[in-house]
Amino acid sequence: MSDQRPAAPEPPRSRLDTPLDREVGPRTAERLASLGLASVGDLLEHYPRRWTRRGDLTSFDGLREGEHVTVQATVVSASSRRMKQRRGTITEVVVADGDGRRIDLVFFNQRFREGQLVPGTVGFFSGKVSRRGRQLQLLQPDMLLQQGRHARGGLSLVPGPDEQAEVAEDFAGSLTPVYPASARAQTWHVAAAVRQVLDTLVVADVPDPVPDDLRERHGLLPRLEALRGLHRPADEAERDAATHSLRYAEAFVLQTGLLRARTRARLVPATRYERRPGDLLERFDAALPFTLTDGQRSVGEELQRELASGTPMQRLLQGDVGSGKTLVALRAMLAVVGAGGQAALLAPTEVLAAQHLRSLEQLLGPLGRAGTLDGDAEGTRVALLTGSMPAAARRRALLQIVTGEAGLVVGTHALLQQSVEFADLGLVVVDEQHRFGVEQRDALRSRGVAVHTLVMTATPIPRTVAMTVFGDLDTSVLDELPAGRQPISTHVVGLPERPGWLPRVWQRVREEVDAGRQAFVVCQRIGVDVDDEESVLAELENDLEPPGGRPPAAAVLDVLDALRAEPALAGLRVEVLHGRMTPEEKEAVMADVLAGDVHVLVATTVVEVGVDVPNASVMVVMDADRFGVSQLHQLRGRVGRGGHPALCLLVTGVPAPSEARERLDAVASSTDGFALARFDLRTRREGDVLGSAQSGARSSLRLLRVVDDGDVIAAARQDAAAVLDADPELQEHPVLLEAVEVALAGGRDAWLARA
Ligand code: ADP
Ligand code: MG
């Protein structure tokens, strides 16, 4: 029977996969789609942002212009007037929060609002925050009133401007969830849909990734119950129990995924690189002009054991700025090369790759010039491969790499292209991971070779973050700085209270230069070069950004002009370094900086990562308040590397006291990168801290807060390890397996699926 009808769409595998239009109707489904919610499961995992007690007013304190907000507020007054320029009326409704702060609700041609929003009415108001003068306002907000003329008993949805329907809503408990909303889907639309769905779900519809015994051991709620408690709690206790249960589940699924990835990667054997007496590394160590720190020595031994083990290394090396990670990496690389393999060092930028090449060549001396006249025949060669190399140089490098003539290869992501063939790649070192996308790391692994991998990060990562973001890697920490490091003193230069201090800053720079040192001045943006169309366009785009009325940040090109005209710096060579320069221009400037020919380098944060100019002793950060704490710590780490006492000046136009100034004071008062990273995590939004590494795992980090939930994460990791121990492929745990795959899909662990 050959029927020509198109195949029926596949039935959803479970209730959670059911498209929302089948559950809540096309109209609501369309609204929910504006929040990216397509299925029942999506909706249930759209967790409330907060809960409000019925009648409790929302503080207006944190409202920011441009944000879409939902507030619970009480009406103070309402009045209408004719518009001056046009026909029609404006109705202005003043609403207040519990502290008497006020905002305006503004409606056009809706006089009836006056009768509806009588003083004393309490309701939810939802819309985008805008500003007129100093007054914040919501234009044409949607609303849900609790008492008012149109209320029938409980709450009623008052039609918004684009809507005629009136939807009655009741509340199960005294706590009302407030959801992340959009202009199309208000929190009460979400609430109504969630209720509709939750009411008809049964336990079998919501399989639980957490195995029963773990749930019992930790006293957790079954998943459906937890979802009910989160979306429609009767009271705080119920909500908190639900939150705890779902948070644990999140941590557990994530840790299971990460540990499973880790185990899987270990199944593929890697080449053993064993040490021999008199090998390359031994010769290198003998020629090293300084002694290793204890940390460098012990981490080095750890790495060598791993390289010789036959199991692929997957290690994260953390160390504060200046702790000497590069040397640790180089020694591991030499162990590999000495045993007949090749090693690659990947840098996040061309500037850094070029610098690594220089510092490797310098550290290696004759050992890095095998086959040349003044080289050591027992040594090796270092090749550089970057994206922007001229074709001839590139061909030469590729040849050295494929023949194995170059034991060490330094490069950017260009090294990961399929066309780059190695004779025998044994170890890849990824420098400054936080700038190096997870995708790049994946690209390495998907080449099918079990290459030893060492990831280095200069941003100290608190343990729980490491466990979450790099949970598939083992961790080593370099926790001391090489002897002889000079202290860096850090000062906040607050221009609001000391407007005359900027010239003082340049005088200090002058003094350092006169003493033979060099200075960095870091700015947040590049600025406009009127001759360069691209730069003008880029700046225009930048300018659209801050509507808040803050003056634009100091720009590299403007500061360059100012400093070249600055009397205190007369006669000094001031140059710039930024992302719009060509690789050759950057390389040329960096070479002059290293040669000591440039006295003051004005740059963007391209100097943030890893730049090593031992003679630099002053770091001036303009608009320091616009940088993160860890970023400032990185910038500061660029000076004080050469045995001279160093100075870091954080210039800011933000008055104290303020949160921004507190952050700057924190940087000024501590040089402990780990402590600052913890501080940073507490004060910034998580996503900013985790950067791209987190974006892939976003879908799984909903309730989990890596700063606060260390205990949960640690417990979940232990539990996950035990489960995987007993059942490595999760054959007995199909629900968990699916949850793991969904949570990590497409993001940082896409390679999990490919493996
Ligand atoms: P990181 O990358 O960890 O910030 P680097 O590897 O750039 O630090 O090292 C900073 C500087 O310290 C480099 O100039 C390096 O040569 C030097 N260095 C590394 N280890 C030692 C040591 N044990 N003793 C003295 N100087 C060292
Ligand atoms: Mg470094």
Side-chain angles (χ1 to χ4, degrees):
M1 218 177 81
S2 71
D3 196 331
Q4 290 304 304
R5 271 181 313 176
E10 251 189 63
R13 275 174 306 165
S14 78
R15 264 303 281 289
L16 296 183
D17 290 334
T18 313
L20 279 170
D21 57 357
R22 292 204 213 163
E23 296 273 342
V24 297
R27 235 175 90 82
T28 305
E30 199 193 304
R31 285 188 191 286
L32 296 172
S34 72
L35 291 166
L37 309 176
S39 68
V40 168
D42 293 345
L43 179 63
L44 292 177
E45 289 191 7
H46 189 68
Y47 295 153
R49 194 199 293 287
R50 59 193 162 86
W51 293 259
T52 165
R53 290 199 149 270
R54 205 149 152 211
D56 272 3
L57 304 181
T58 315
S59 167
F60 293 161
D61 210 12
L63 294 191
R64 268 185 287 162
E65 208 179 333
E67 270 177 353
H68 184 103
V69 299
T70 303
V71 297
Q72 195 170 198
T74 180
V75 174
V76 177
S77 64
S79 61
S80 300
R81 59 183 163 81
R82 299 221 145 271
M83 282 194 263
K84 294 190 191 93
Q85 312 289 341
R86 290 192 281 159
R87 287 162 58 88
T89 57
I90 290 186
T91 302
E92 279 170 328
V93 178
V94 180
V95 296
D97 70 2
D99 299 324
R101 267 178 293 248
R102 295 172 174 205
I103 60 175
D104 290 343
L105 313 179
V106 181
F107 302 92
F108 301 107
N109 290 337
Q110 295 185 20
R111 278 204 81 141
F112 68 93
R113 297 291 183 195
E114 242 184 282
Q116 185 182 49
L117 296 168
V118 295
T121 306
V122 174
F124 287 101
F125 302 96
S126 187
K128 201 164 156 185
V129 181
S130 60
R131 173 190 296 277
R132 195 180 50 192
R134 305 190 56 179
Q135 187 60 36
L136 292 182
Q137 54 185 24
L138 301 181
L139 289 182
Q140 312 265 71
D142 285 317
M143 66 188 76
L144 181 70
L145 300 183
Q146 289 169 26
Q147 316 146 23
R149 246 176 234 186
H150 299 283
R152 282 189 315 238
L155 299 174
S156 67
L157 177 65
V158 175
D162 65 336
E163 162 181 8
Q164 298 306 317
E166 186 165 304
V167 182
E169 163 72 293
D170 69 327
F171 285 85
S174 57
L175 284 180
T176 308
V178 179
Y179 291 95
S182 69
R184 294 273 297 122
Q186 301 301 347
T187 178
W188 49 87
H189 295 127
V190 178
V194 166
R195 181 178 52 126
Q196 202 177 332
V197 165
L198 272 182
D199 280 352
T200 63
L201 284 176
V202 296
V203 173
D205 291 332
V206 188
D208 199 330
V210 180
D212 295 344
D213 56 330
L214 284 178
R215 203 169 54 233
E216 273 155 36
R217 174 135 55 83
H218 293 295
L220 306 174
L221 300 171
R223 192 166 180 83
L224 178 57
E225 214 175 298
L227 287 169
R228 288 213 163 104
L230 194 77
H231 288 291
R232 302 176 59 74
D235 52 33
E236 274 94 350
E238 201 173 300
R239 175 199 60 195
D240 293 347
T243 308
H244 177 68
S245 299
L246 291 169
R247 182 179 288 149
Y248 171 86
E250 239 170 52
F252 176 71
V253 168
L254 189 62
Q255 290 302 333
T256 305
L258 292 168
L259 287 175
R260 178 160 162 264
R262 180 166 173 264
T263 331
R264 287 190 152 196
R266 277 162 194 268
L267 294 177
V268 188
T271 313
R272 294 171 190 274
Y273 296 100
E274 286 171 64
R275 297 286 314 268
R276 289 177 287 102
D279 66 1
L280 184 59
L281 177 52
E282 196 177 311
R283 294 158 56 89
F284 172 80
D285 283 345
L288 200 63
F290 39 72
T291 43
L292 300 176
T293 64
D294 289 346
Q296 285 174 321
R297 185 175 303 283
S298 63
V299 171
E301 279 162 14
E302 195 170 29
L303 300 185
Q304 280 160 36
R305 264 197 307 280
E306 223 159 11
L307 290 171
S309 70
T311 301
M313 172 192 296
Q314 300 174 82
R315 190 166 283 280
L316 176 71
L317 174 59
Q318 294 193 51
D320 209 343
V321 191
S323 56
K325 293 181 293 292
T326 312
L327 184 62
V328 170
L330 175 58
R331 293 184 68 246
M333 294 166 82
L334 292 176
V336 168
V337 175
Q342 283 172 301
L345 174 56
L346 294 182
T349 64
E350 302 214 340
V351 168
L352 266 189
Q355 178 186 295
H356 274 312
L357 177 74
R358 273 194 306 270
S359 55
L360 293 196
E361 281 176 342
Q362 199 184 357
L363 283 164
L364 286 165
L367 284 176
R369 296 193 293 270
T372 64
L373 269 185
D374 65 341
D376 182 328
E378 302 284 299
T380 185
R381 294 286 281 263
V382 191
L384 176 73
L385 191 75
T386 63
S388 64
M389 267 163 81
R394 182 183 164 79
R395 264 199 310 277
R396 218 175 311 128
L398 286 173
L399 194 66
Q400 284 188 328
I401 296 169
V402 72
T403 58
E405 187 190 340
L408 299 176
V409 185
V410 179
T412 53
H413 60 270
L415 260 183
L416 297 180
Q417 289 162 8
Q418 292 295 339
S419 60
V420 181
E421 264 182 68
F422 286 83
D424 182 9
L425 181 61
L427 168 66
V428 171
V429 179
V430 181
D431 192 13
E432 315 293 359
Q433 156 77 22
H434 65 298
R435 281 298 177 84
F436 207 93
V438 171
E439 308 74 39
Q440 280 91 335
R441 223 166 96 209
D442 295 349
L444 267 178
R445 301 200 200 195
S446 65
R447 300 184 77 165
V449 208
V451 181
H452 295 284
T453 310
L454 178 66
V455 174
M456 301 197 288
T457 168
T459 307
I461 301 173
R463 202 177 61 96
T464 53
V465 182
M467 241 192 277
T468 310
V469 181
F470 302 107
D472 55 333
L473 304 178
D474 303 311
T475 306
S476 301
V477 178
L478 283 183
D479 52 10
E480 67 188 310
L481 300 183
R485 271 302 144 74
Q486 291 298 318
I488 306 173
S489 50
T490 307
H491 302 281
V492 179
V493 180
L495 297 179
E497 67 269 23
R498 303 188 200 281
W501 273 32
L502 203 51
R504 281 282 301 129
V505 169
W506 307 131
Q507 275 159 27
R508 276 298 283 129
V509 167
R510 177 76 204 209
E511 287 161 23
E512 290 295 314
V513 173
D514 285 346
R517 308 281 90 80
Q518 290 161 279
F520 291 119
V521 179
V522 171
C523 306
Q524 229 222 357
R525 53 189 197 106
I526 300 172
V528 186
D529 174 354
V530 286
D531 296 331
D532 174 4
E533 195 177 332
E534 209 177 302
S535 92
V536 176
L537 288 178
E539 276 303 309
L540 280 179
E541 250 169 51
N542 241 340
D543 270 357
L544 293 178
E545 267 283 316
R550 275 213 295 183
V556 168
L557 297 175
D558 299 339
V559 171
L560 172 74
D561 291 342
L563 293 192
R564 282 185 171 163
E566 169 63 43
L569 303 181
L572 302 191
R573 181 162 167 212
V574 184
E575 295 290 350
V576 292
L577 184 72
H578 58 73
R580 286 207 304 260
M581 288 159 66
T582 67
E584 296 79 40
E585 288 169 338
K586 287 188 218 167
E587 180 59 18
V589 167
M590 275 314 286
D592 286 354
V593 171
L594 280 167
D597 295 341
V598 172
H599 302 113
V600 180
L601 183 67
V602 186
T604 53
T605 50
V606 288
V607 301
E608 172 194 347
V609 191
V611 166
D612 192 18
V613 181
N615 191 45
S617 68
V618 199
M619 168 63 65
V620 180
V621 184
M622 308 299 288
D623 300 298
D625 48 277
R626 304 199 190 209
F627 296 88
V629 166
S630 293
Q631 208 176 9
L632 291 172
H633 180 63
Q634 281 298 314
L635 286 168
R636 171 170 61 184
R638 298 306 118 213
V639 293
R641 310 182 131 233
H644 317 288
L647 183 66
C648 175
L649 299 173
L650 306 175
V651 179
T652 176
V654 173
S658 57
E659 198 194 303
R661 289 293 291 265
E662 259 168 51
R663 285 190 288 117
L664 298 187
D665 290 340
V667 177
S669 63
S670 171
T671 50
D672 177 347
F674 280 85
L676 288 175
R678 277 193 299 275
F679 179 87
D680 210 5
L681 270 177
R682 273 199 304 275
T683 52
R684 295 169 73 202
R685 287 219 328 279
E686 205 124 323
D688 300 342
V689 178
L690 301 184
S692 70
Q694 199 229 339
S695 62
R698 195 188 45 199
S699 56
S700 45
L701 283 188
R702 284 171 195 253
L703 295 169
L704 206 58
R705 291 291 164 266
V706 289
V707 199
D708 304 326
D709 300 329
D711 294 348
V712 177
I713 294 171
R717 188 169 177 89
Q718 236 179 28
D719 295 339
V723 167
L724 285 167
D725 233 20
D727 179 13
E729 290 304 313
L730 296 177
Q731 281 160 339
E732 311 282 311
H733 299 92
V735 181
L736 176 57
L737 179 62
E738 198 185 327
V740 162
E741 272 161 8
V742 169
L744 303 181
R748 56 172 259 98
D749 285 27
W751 52 273
L752 217 170
R754 292 201 299 270

